[in-house]
């Protein structure tokens, strides 16, 4: 498996599981842990991934992010937020729920 294929498989797997340990990923992809760490470092530049150390350590995907899901662009989000300022409170609540669902998750 090539690097690009492995990295795509890793992000898909993480989006499905939401969390995984480095050593488990290394085993599943038949590479060493340092290779997975480099993959995660590279993937985290484009995807909302983060790592934790300690007992619950591993690689996590930000809540609400799913691979190949389309998100609002920044200008689309800003436009909808501007429209929300002109709405009644009930309508505005619905719009804010839509924005929350389709906006890219904030990076930690």
């Amino acid at each position: 498996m090539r690097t690009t294929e492995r990295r795509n498989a890793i992000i898909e797997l993480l989006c499905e599981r939401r969390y995984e340990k480095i050593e488990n990923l290394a085993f599943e992809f038949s590479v060493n842990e340092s290779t997975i760490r480099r993959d995660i470092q590279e993937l985290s530049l484009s995807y909302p991934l983060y790592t934790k150390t300690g007992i619950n350590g591993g690689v996590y995907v930000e809540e609400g992010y799913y691979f190949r899901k389309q998100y609002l662009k920044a200008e689309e989000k800003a436009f909808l937020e501007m429209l929300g300022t002109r709405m009644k409170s009930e309508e505005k609540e619905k719009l804010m729920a839509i924005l929350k669902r389709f906006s890219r998750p904030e990076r930690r």
Side-chain angles (χ1 to χ4, degrees):
M1 177 181 285
R2 292 185 165 180
T3 303
T4 304
E5 293 167 333
R6 184 181 61 249
R7 289 178 179 170
N8 283 337
I10 289 170
I11 191 67
E12 286 180 22
L13 185 143
L14 287 171
C15 284
E16 181 181 316
R17 295 182 188 166
R18 312 308 297 164
Y19 154 82
E20 193 54 79
K21 291 188 173 281
I22 298 285
E23 53 268 21
N24 293 345
L25 291 170
F27 178 79
E28 283 190 53
F29 291 99
S30 302
V31 295
N32 62 42
E33 291 181 22
S34 60
T35 300
I36 294 295
R37 289 182 203 289
R38 281 192 301 274
D39 289 343
I40 297 304
Q41 185 177 18
E42 186 66 30
L43 287 167
S44 69
L45 297 173
S46 301
Y47 301 100
L49 301 179
Y50 64 97
T51 58
K52 277 188 179 179
T53 58
I55 295 172
N56 295 319
V59 184
Y60 292 80
V61 177
E62 291 286 340
E63 187 176 323
Y65 179 81
Y66 294 92
F67 190 57
R68 294 195 173 113
K69 176 180 174 183
Q70 289 196 342
Y71 293 97
L72 292 171
K73 294 177 183 170
E75 59 270 12
E76 294 168 335
K77 181 181 177 189
F79 176 73
L80 292 173
E81 288 171 336
M82 184 269 305
L83 288 179
T85 63
R86 301 176 184 176
M87 296 180 166
K88 297 177 185 172
S89 63
E90 186 178 305
E91 294 170 332
K92 187 174 183 174
E93 282 180 35
K94 289 178 185 176
L95 178 63
M96 297 316 271
I98 291 168
L99 282 169
K100 185 177 179 181
R101 178 185 282 177
F102 294 102
S103 294
R104 185 171 295 279
E106 296 294 320
R107 298 190 90 156
R108 290 184 185 196

